[in-house]
């Protein structure tokens, strides 16, 4: 029986997974425990984290949208308030003409000095009004126009006919007018106009002015979002920047190509959670943006908040959550590895010890200290092993004693029958001789069996003694061949042995080595079955010369087979091959050949007797001499048994 | 099977993380697209005015008062101021997509004839421009200055005249296969007074403003620079945007293949308050060019 425990108990082995030399997985149970612990702890955690992240993100987006919307709405209100207040500045109340006692019907009826005083007062009070004029409704000509020049307020030299200009026509029609924004050297400006009515509500003129958008710029400049990084800007209907939290509007920037701005300028609002946009801004920052359109003034109010700042809180939460999940995952993996090891290791210990028991080794108990049912199982296992050990010892003792006790009587039987055959009790007739010869043969087999059993018993009891010394292999082989030559001659088997004279000495026990050689060469002879009806061997022509130890042969002599012995030096080993031309051994049989009581059972070998212990004993002896033994064979073509032994140190 | 389970587990975790991150992301939109404007002469995409070079002159008829050094220094300073302001105004209106540079002729140019000859209404600018072309820009001219007449290959060249006399006019030079101004006017459907044959090859446009009215007269001075740009605007092809007693037309075609929409004498001008309209009488600092005009000059906003 081979010593490899896996030969007896077949264990499925998985490839171990190691990390930094630490075994993470490696057995099925460990894999299962590891995977399931990780699954039940990490997956819910990851899902919870993802869900939490989603909800937090959604909530945060809602918050950002709400903040931006509030800022936009407030900006809209401020802009509307500024424009409305400015327009209201131009609303002029014309009372009764004191000279006539009737309402004024035309602007020219007013005293130019009075009008100038009023207009100049407005220009002095409101610094962002650049021009102001009053136009008569009838002749459509400017009655008075004041301009804020570099040297102060001056009268316009030219009083134009403005009848075809939009701001006059609208106001003359009774509506307040707020014109388009246009760019000037002093910044964006717009024209406003309002109808001038007398105390009866009749429109007698138009008051018009051109205003800078400084108040809007001032309001927008104060608006911030988040950590002062978010900003607002106002765009006029052609996409020209009017005001910006951080930048001078005189930068003449056209931002109408920004998709969000274009969308808003088309008259739509882009606010709320659904209206939020994210893009790289005109100024190169990734922003979250929203916008709203002031249709009454043709202005778009856009809020842009750099993502970096807007999502700073979310990034913090996300990073903390990711850190937590990673930490828990790592901890879970480590814990699951330890947990798996804690469960698997005692089981592995039990498996290891049970494998030793399977090959009859009871010298080691399972050491499991888990303080739980697995330790109880290990203790029970150790108790069971003790019982088995006792049984095994009893069996070995029985075999040894039985074999030993049997050897004395069978030896006596052998001696006495031999004496009877030799005529010590008087002459024997042929029939008696024949019967006694069969008794001798049977007794011989019995002696062999008893000897083999004793040898096996010694081996298993550890009493097989081997003393290795440096030995010359060739004389020993020659001696064995000489001993077995009669047996070979009986079957017309020729020995072939041409050793190299320079072979090194080998470390072996001479008696045990002879035992090995006798067994292997004897088997070679035994399993080389002579051919019948042949007068010449097919191999005769290739037989070696008369130098062989089997002695000279003459041409034409019948040879039924050959047994070839040769040596080979392989590194620090001397290998001896015994090759026969016998029946050969099947692959299946080769695997069990060195097991106890195994015999190759074929049609050709059924008549050959044996105990089935020879090769087991040979293997024990060779291994005891620190050697190895193996066989190569092919059915019908013979076998080669090889054993290698260590070369004596003196040979090097 | 176990491997599939582990791989599936890992894939599930990665997918859950990816879904979380995806949902965390906001809607991402296309980034800003920038379209470059190609500024050109009004209604004439073939003629670029991305760089306008003005060759400015102070021109004095023979019979006018003698030009002394002090007056010339004062006027030159005013010209520099006006042209600087005009350049700044132009830059603002065209979003820095077009620029004006200028060179002032180092000395006043005394014209060869008396005022009677030059004070011919809208023809004044043509008469003086033709003379300047001959005397300054031709090597045979008595005032030829090789370094002064240089200009860049892709520049739009304008002769700017500050005239010691009345008036303010401007116009652009167009190629025509016809030689008779009457025929050209008839072909274009405009007044013959608006067409003149230009001699010389330097100028793509020209304008004239009166020194007396727009630089010296205190009543005009506050908007004198606006007048300068207004006339310069004509040199870049821009039409008037105000109603006057003359002929108002806001579509001048450079080719008889493209008949104008309006016929001569029909008042169809869209009146505006910009620098080409009534706005020419207000300071340039608060002036602007109507967007209908800048769009027709290739400005993309």
């Amino acid at each position: 029986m081979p010593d490899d425990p896996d030969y007896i108990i077949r264990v499925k082995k998985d490839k171990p997974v190691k990390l930094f030399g630490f075994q993470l997985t490696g057995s099925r149970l460990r894999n299962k425990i590891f995977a399931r612990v990780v699954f039940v702890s990490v997956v819910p955690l990851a899902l919870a984290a993802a869900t939490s992240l989603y909800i937090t993100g959604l909530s945060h987006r809602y918050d950002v949208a709400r903040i931006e919307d509030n800022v936009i709405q407030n900006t809209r209100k401020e802009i509307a308030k500024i424009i409305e207040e400015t327009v209201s500045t131009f609303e002029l109340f014309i009372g009764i003409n004191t000279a006539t006692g009737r309402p004024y019907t035309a602007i020219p009826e007013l005293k130019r000095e009075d009008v100038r005083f009023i207009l100049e007062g407005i220009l002095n009070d409101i610094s962002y009004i650049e021009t102001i004029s009053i136009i008569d409704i009838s002749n459509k000509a400017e009655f008075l126009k004041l301009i804020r020049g570099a040297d102060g307020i001056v009268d316009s030299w030219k009083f134009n006919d403005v009848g075809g200009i939009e701001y006059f026509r609208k106001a003359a029609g009774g509506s307040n007018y707020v014109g388009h924004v246009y760019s000037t050297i002093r910044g964006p400006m717009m024209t406003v106009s309002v109808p001038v009515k007398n105390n009866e509500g009749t429109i007698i003129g138009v008051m018009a002015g051109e205003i800078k958008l400084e108040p809007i710029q001032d309001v927008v400049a104060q608006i911030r979002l988040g950590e002062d990084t978010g900003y607002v800007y106002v765009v006029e209907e052609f996409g020209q920047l009017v005001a910006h939290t951080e930048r001078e509007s005189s930068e003449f920037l056209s931002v109408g190509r920004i998709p969000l701005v274009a969308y808003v300028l088309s008259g739509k609002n882009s606010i709320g959670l659904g209206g939020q946009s994210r893009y790289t801004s005109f100024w190169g920052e990734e922003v979250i943006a929203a916008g709203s359109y002031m249709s009454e003034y043709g202005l778009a109010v856009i809020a842009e908040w750099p993502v970096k700042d807007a999502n700073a809180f979310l990034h913090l939460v996300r990073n903390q959550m990711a850190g937590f999940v990673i930490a828990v995952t790592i901890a879970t993996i480590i814990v699951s590895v330890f947990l798996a090891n804690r469960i698997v290791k005692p089981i592995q210990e039990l498996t290891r010890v049970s494998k030793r028991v399977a090959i009859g080794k009871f010298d080691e108990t399972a050491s499991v200290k888990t303080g739980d049912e697995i330790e109880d199982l290990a203790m029970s296992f150790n108790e069971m092993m003790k019982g088995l050990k006792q049984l095994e010892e009893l069996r070995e003792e029985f075999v040894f004693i039985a074999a030993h006790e049997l050897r004395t009587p069978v030896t006596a039987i052998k001696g006495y029958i031999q004496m009877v055959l030799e005529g010590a009790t008087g002459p024997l007739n042929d029939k008696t001789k024949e019967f006694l010869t069969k008794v001798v043969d049977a007794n011989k087999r019995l002696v062999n069996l008893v000897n083999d059993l004793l040898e096996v018993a010694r081996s298993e009891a550890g009493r097989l003694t081997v003393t290795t010394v440096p030995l010359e292999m060739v004389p020993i082989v020659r001696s064995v061949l000489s001993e077995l030559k009669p047996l070979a001659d009986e079957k017309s088997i020729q020995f072939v042995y041409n050793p190299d004279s320079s072979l090194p000495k080998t470390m072996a026990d001479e008696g045990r080595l002879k035992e090995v050689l006798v067994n292997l060469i004897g088997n070679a002879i035994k399993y080389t079955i002579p051919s019948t009806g042949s007068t010449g061997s097919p191999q005769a022509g290739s037989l070696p010369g008369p130098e062989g130890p089997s002695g000279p042969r003459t041409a034409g002599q019948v040879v039924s087979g050959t047994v070839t012995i040769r040596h080979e030096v392989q590194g620090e080993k001397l290998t001896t091959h015994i090759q026969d031309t016998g029946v050969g051994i099947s692959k299946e049989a080769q695997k069990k050949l060195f097991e106890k009581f195994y015999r190759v059972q074929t049609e050709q070998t059924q008549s050959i007797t044996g105990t089935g212990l020879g090769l087991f004993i040979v293997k024990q002896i060779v291994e005891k001499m620190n050697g190895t033994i193996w066989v190569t064979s092919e059915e019908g073509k013979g076998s080669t048994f090889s054993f290698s032994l260590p070369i004596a140190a003196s040979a090097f | 099977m176990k491997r599939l389970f582990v791989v599936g587990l890992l894939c599930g975790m990665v997918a859950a993380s990816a879904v979380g991150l995806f949902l965390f992301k906001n809607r991402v939109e296309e980034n800003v697209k920038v379209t470059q404007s190609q500024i050109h002469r009004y209604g004439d995409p073939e003629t670029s005015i991305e760089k306008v070079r003005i060759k400015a002159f102070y021109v004095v008829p023979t019979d006018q008062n003698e030009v002394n050094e002090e007056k010339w220094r004062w006027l030159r300073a005013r010209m520099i101021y006006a042209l600087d302001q005009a350049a700044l105004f132009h830059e603002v209106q065209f979003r820095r997509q077009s620029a004006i540079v200028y060179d002032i002729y180092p000395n006043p140019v005394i014209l060869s004839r008396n005022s009677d000859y030059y004070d011919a209404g809208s023809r004044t600018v043509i008469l003086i421009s033709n003379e300047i072309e001959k005397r300054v820009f031709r090597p045979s001219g008595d005032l030829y200055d090789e370094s002064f007449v240089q200009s860049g290959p892709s520049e739009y060249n304008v002769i700017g005249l500050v005239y010691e006399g009345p008036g303010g006019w401007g116009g652009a030079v167009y190629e025509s296969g016809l030689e008779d101004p009457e025929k050209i006017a008839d072909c274009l459907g405009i007044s013959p007074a608006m067409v003149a044959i230009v001699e010389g090859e330097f100028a793509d446009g020209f304008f004239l403003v009166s020194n007396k009215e727009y630089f010296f007269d205190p009543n005009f001075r506050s908007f004198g620079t606006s007048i300068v740009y207004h006339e310069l605007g004509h040199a870049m092809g821009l039409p008037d945007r105000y109603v006057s007693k003359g002929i108002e037309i806001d579509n001048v075609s450079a080719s008889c293949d493209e008949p104008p929409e309006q016929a001569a004498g029909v008042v169809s001008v869209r009146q505006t308050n910009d620098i080409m309209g009534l706005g020419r009488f207000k300071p340039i600092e608060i002036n602007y060019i109507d967007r209908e005009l800048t769009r027709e000059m290739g400005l993309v906003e």
Side-chain angles (χ1 to χ4, degrees):
Chain A
M1 183 181 285
D3 277 349
D4 181 6
D6 289 342
Y7 194 78
I8 305 299
I9 301 171
R10 303 221 172 256
V11 177
K12 186 177 178 184
K13 288 183 177 177
D14 293 335
K15 194 177 179 183
V17 177
K18 291 191 174 183
L19 185 66
F20 304 120
F22 187 79
Q23 186 172 335
L24 293 174
T25 62
S27 72
R28 289 160 293 162
L29 183 58
R30 184 184 275 120
N31 286 344
K32 281 179 186 173
I33 293 167
F34 174 77
R36 284 170 196 183
V37 169
V38 169
F39 181 79
V40 298
S41 56
V42 174
V43 170
L45 182 68
L47 289 174
T51 308
S52 173
L53 200 62
Y54 169 67
I55 292 168
T56 309
L58 199 62
S59 169
H60 181 73
R61 276 183 60 189
Y62 176 75
D63 289 343
V64 169
R66 202 176 53 178
I67 291 168
E68 287 190 330
D69 291 353
N70 285 341
V71 165
I72 288 169
Q73 291 307 324
N74 288 339
T75 308
R76 281 177 60 112
K77 282 180 190 168
E78 288 292 331
I79 291 171
K81 189 178 163 191
I82 289 164
I83 294 174
E84 282 165 14
E85 283 179 1
T86 306
V87 169
S88 69
T89 305
F90 288 85
E91 287 171 354
L92 194 63
F93 174 76
I94 307 291
I96 300 290
N97 187 338
T98 52
T100 63
R102 284 191 260 176
Y104 286 98
T105 56
I107 294 298
E109 293 172 14
L110 297 166
K111 285 184 181 173
R112 192 174 293 273
E113 294 76 27
D114 293 344
V115 176
R116 191 179 201 290
F117 178 77
I118 293 166
L119 299 191
E120 197 170 351
I122 293 171
L123 281 182
N124 282 329
D125 287 347
I126 303 172
S127 63
Y128 57 86
I129 298 178
E130 292 291 319
T131 70
I132 188 164
S133 61
I134 189 161
I135 306 136
D136 183 58
I137 195 80
S138 304
N139 62 20
K140 300 171 186 172
E142 289 170 334
F143 177 70
L144 186 65
K145 183 173 185 178
L146 299 183
I147 298 171
R148 190 189 302 279
D151 304 323
I153 297 167
V154 295
D155 281 38
S156 171
W157 182 81
K158 286 271 187 179
F159 299 122
N160 300 295
D161 178 346
V162 297
I165 299 182
E166 193 180 14
Y167 72 76
F168 172 79
R169 287 190 282 112
K170 289 270 182 183
S175 305
N176 289 348
Y177 170 83
V178 178
H180 307 303
V181 177
Y182 47 83
S183 297
T184 73
I185 292 172
R186 288 187 187 163
M189 292 178 66
M190 58 166 50
T191 303
V192 297
S193 62
V194 298
V196 176
K197 297 175 182 174
N198 64 16
N199 64 332
E200 290 181 333
T202 306
I203 298 170
I204 61 169
V206 167
M207 182 90 117
E210 291 171 278
I211 61 168
K212 288 194 293 182
L213 302 185
E214 269 180 2
I216 294 174
Q217 291 174 327
D218 291 343
V219 164
V220 170
Q222 291 169 16
I223 299 170
R224 298 277 177 177
L225 286 91
E227 299 288 328
D228 286 352
T229 56
Y231 49 84
V232 168
Y233 57 91
V234 179
V235 184
E236 54 84 63
E237 61 187 313
F238 293 99
Q240 191 71 16
L241 190 69
V242 170
H244 193 292
T245 300
E246 295 173 337
R247 294 164 181 89
E248 292 292 331
S249 60
S250 58
E251 282 186 281
F252 322 125
L253 296 176
S254 295
V255 294
R257 301 282 162 178
I258 298 170
L260 175 69
V261 176
Y263 179 78
V264 173
L265 285 176
S266 70
K268 296 165 186 167
N269 287 331
S270 182
I271 54 174
L273 203 55
Q276 226 175 30
S277 299
R278 184 168 164 158
Y279 55 83
T280 302
S281 78
F282 190 85
W283 296 276
E285 273 180 310
E286 197 180 357
V287 294
I288 297 170
S292 178
Y293 187 62
M294 300 179 76
S295 56
E296 61 273 40
Y297 308 124
L299 297 174
V301 180
I302 308 294
E304 287 184 351
W305 197 351
V307 173
K308 195 169 62 177
D309 181 35
N311 287 346
F313 169 73
L314 198 58
H315 289 150
L316 182 70
V317 170
R318 186 185 61 185
N319 291 344
Q320 285 180 346
M321 205 170 283
F324 177 72
V325 170
I326 290 167
V328 169
T329 303
I330 291 169
T332 304
I333 289 169
I334 292 168
V335 167
S336 66
V337 168
F338 280 110
L339 187 66
N341 279 341
R342 190 174 166 76
I343 294 170
V344 170
K345 277 206 167 175
I347 295 170
Q348 284 180 329
E349 173 70 0
L350 279 171
T351 307
R352 186 182 68 80
V353 176
S354 65
K355 286 176 190 173
R356 291 181 66 81
V357 171
I359 58 170
K361 293 182 178 175
F362 302 94
D363 54 340
E364 211 175 324
T365 56
S367 175
V368 176
K369 302 288 179 192
T370 57
D372 52 24
E373 286 83 350
I374 297 177
E375 187 175 334
D376 293 345
L377 175 66
M379 286 170 67
S380 301
F381 180 82
N382 287 340
E383 288 300 318
M384 179 189 76
M385 199 172 66
K386 275 184 194 171
L388 285 173
K389 189 177 180 184
Q390 283 175 347
L391 278 174
E392 180 65 11
E393 283 169 355
L394 282 172
R395 183 188 66 79
E396 286 172 0
E397 192 67 20
F398 169 76
V399 171
F400 185 77
I401 292 169
H404 192 266
E405 290 304 315
L406 277 171
R407 196 162 72 162
T408 307
V410 296
T411 306
I413 290 167
K414 181 184 172 186
Y416 282 110
I417 290 173
Q418 194 61 43
M419 285 170 65
V420 172
L421 277 173
E422 285 172 0
T425 56
L428 302 173
N429 60 30
D430 291 342
K431 201 68 179 175
T432 304
K433 276 185 181 175
E434 183 189 339
F435 288 167
L436 282 175
T437 302
K438 287 183 179 176
V439 171
V440 166
D441 289 343
N443 189 62
K444 191 178 176 184
R445 286 199 297 276
L446 188 58
V447 169
N448 287 340
L449 176 62
V450 168
N451 284 337
D452 285 351
L453 280 174
L454 263 175
E455 201 74 0
V456 170
R458 279 197 200 100
S459 172
E460 288 180 342
R463 295 179 199 168
L464 186 68
T465 55
V466 170
T467 307
T468 58
V469 294
L471 289 176
E472 292 281 359
M473 177 65 84
V474 176
I476 295 169
V477 174
R478 288 192 192 283
S479 163
V480 170
L481 290 177
S482 175
E483 189 180 321
L484 295 176
K485 186 171 181 301
L487 200 60
D489 288 345
E490 273 179 27
K491 297 179 75 173
S492 302
I493 290 170
Q494 185 182 21
F495 289 136
V496 179
Y497 184 51
N498 296 308
D500 187 345
S501 58
S502 62
L503 281 178
K505 287 182 178 179
T506 183
M507 292 300 291
D509 181 313
E510 186 175 353
R512 294 295 183 189
L513 182 58
K514 274 189 177 174
E515 203 175 329
V516 168
L517 287 168
V518 165
N519 204 308
L520 294 178
I521 296 169
N523 277 351
I525 296 165
K526 200 191 290 184
Y527 289 96
T528 302
I529 297 162
S531 54
T532 53
S534 171
T535 55
S537 166
Q539 296 128 311
S542 62
L543 287 174
E547 297 84 357
S550 57
R553 290 181 181 276
T554 56
Q557 187 178 353
V558 175
V559 174
S560 62
T562 57
V563 174
T564 306
I565 298 97
R566 56 191 171 82
H567 304 290
E568 189 180 357
V569 176
Q570 293 175 322
E572 295 177 2
K573 301 271 186 182
L574 177 66
T575 302
T576 302
H577 305 280
I578 294 104
Q579 183 182 4
D580 63 48
T581 54
V583 293
I585 308 161
S586 69
K587 294 283 180 196
E588 233 5 77
Q590 284 176 39
K591 291 179 186 173
K592 300 176 181 176
L593 206 56
F594 295 98
E595 289 179 19
K596 265 190 289 192
F597 300 110
Y598 180 79
R599 297 194 69 241
V600 179
Q601 294 294 340
T602 65
E603 198 178 325
Q604 291 171 299
T605 61
Q606 61 186 357
S607 60
I608 300 169
T609 58
T611 62
L613 292 169
L615 286 176
F616 173 75
I617 293 165
V618 163
K619 185 169 186 288
Q620 300 300 311
I621 292 169
V622 169
E623 287 177 355
K624 200 80 178 172
M625 292 191 293
N626 299 318
T628 51
I629 184 166
W630 66 94
V631 63
T632 54
S633 180
E634 195 176 339
E635 277 185 291
K637 292 189 176 177
S639 306
T640 301
F641 283 81
S642 307
F643 65 94
S644 63
L645 293 171
I647 293 171
S650 58
F652 295 107
Chain B
M1 195 65 188
K2 279 189 294 297
R3 280 183 185 170
L4 279 177
F5 169 73
V6 173
V7 169
L9 181 72
L10 292 173
C11 288
M13 289 170 72
V14 169
S17 306
V19 167
L21 287 173
F22 173 76
L23 294 173
F24 166 71
K25 283 265 183 187
N26 294 34
R27 183 160 58 98
V28 178
E29 287 197 354
E30 204 178 352
N31 292 330
V32 182
K33 285 179 183 170
V34 179
T35 306
Q36 192 74 21
S37 300
Q38 301 287 330
I39 308 299
H40 54 76
R41 189 155 68 178
Y42 177 78
D44 180 11
E46 301 301 316
T47 309
S48 170
I49 57 162
E50 285 182 358
K51 192 163 186 184
V52 178
R53 180 170 291 278
I54 300 171
K55 297 288 185 183
F57 301 87
Y58 172 44
V59 289
V60 184
T62 314
D63 57 341
Q64 290 299 310
N65 294 336
E66 191 179 337
V67 179
N68 62 46
E69 186 65 27
E70 187 182 354
K71 184 180 178 184
W72 167 232
R73 208 166 38 239
W74 178 87
L75 182 62
R76 192 169 187 280
R78 293 291 303 165
M79 287 172 71
I80 289 171
Y81 173 78
L83 291 170
D84 282 343
Q85 287 291 94
L88 178 59
F89 175 79
H90 185 83
E91 184 183 296
V92 170
Q93 299 307 312
F94 291 97
R95 321 294 183 230
R96 296 196 177 115
Q97 306 295 309
S98 175
I100 290 175
V101 293
Y102 63 88
D103 306 306
I104 298 176
Y105 194 74
N107 298 302
V109 175
I110 308 301
L111 296 171
S112 57
R113 299 190 185 208
N114 289 337
S115 306
D116 295 345
Y117 173 76
Y118 297 108
D119 295 344
S122 62
R123 291 188 57 77
T124 303
V125 66
I126 304 298
L127 294 170
I128 300 174
S129 292
N130 284 344
E131 185 174 331
I132 291 292
E133 282 266 7
K134 287 176 189 167
R135 295 177 63 190
V136 178
F137 290 94
R138 290 183 188 170
S140 58
D142 62 321
L143 299 175
Y144 177 73
D145 180 343
E146 189 178 355
S147 62
F148 179 80
V149 301
Q150 298 301 320
S151 66
S154 60
E155 288 177 338
Y156 186 81
N157 295 309
V158 174
I159 292 176
L161 304 169
V162 177
Y163 177 53
E164 194 60 47
W169 293 277
V173 177
Y174 295 91
E175 296 288 337
S176 174
L178 303 172
E179 291 184 356
D180 182 3
E182 295 275 345
K183 288 181 181 174
I184 294 170
D186 187 46
C187 170
L188 294 173
I190 59 176
S191 164
M194 294 178 70
V195 180
I197 303 296
V198 179
E199 297 171 23
E201 295 177 349
F202 174 78
D204 298 306
F206 40 77
F207 69 91
L208 177 147
V209 287
S210 165
N211 167 41
K212 286 176 181 167
E213 291 174 10
Y214 303 118
F215 286 84
F216 189 73
D217 189 329
N219 288 326
F220 285 69
R221 210 189 294 165
S222 66
F223 52 85
T225 309
S226 286
I227 296 293
V228 169
Y229 192 88
H230 177 91
E231 303 305 341
L232 171 61
H234 288 318
M236 293 185 289
L238 285 170
D240 278 324
R241 285 296 187 103
Y242 60 90
V243 179
S244 72
K245 291 177 183 174
I247 294 169
E248 294 79 25
I249 197 89
D250 71 346
N251 189 337
V252 176
S253 172
S255 162
C256 285
D257 298 333
E258 299 169 21
E261 291 171 5
Q262 285 82 31
V266 177
V267 178
S268 61
V269 172
R270 182 175 176 270
Q271 241 186 325
T272 60
N273 202 28
D274 78 330
I275 203 162
M276 299 311 292
L278 299 182
R280 69 193 187 283
F281 296 125
K282 64 183 181 184
I284 198 166
E285 292 89 343
I286 57 171
N287 236 320
Y288 67 100
I289 304 175
D290 192 87
R291 279 196 166 89
E292 278 186 8
L293 303 180
T294 54
R295 222 168 12 239
E296 286 296 310
M297 295 174 82
L299 179 66
V300 179
E301 293 186 279

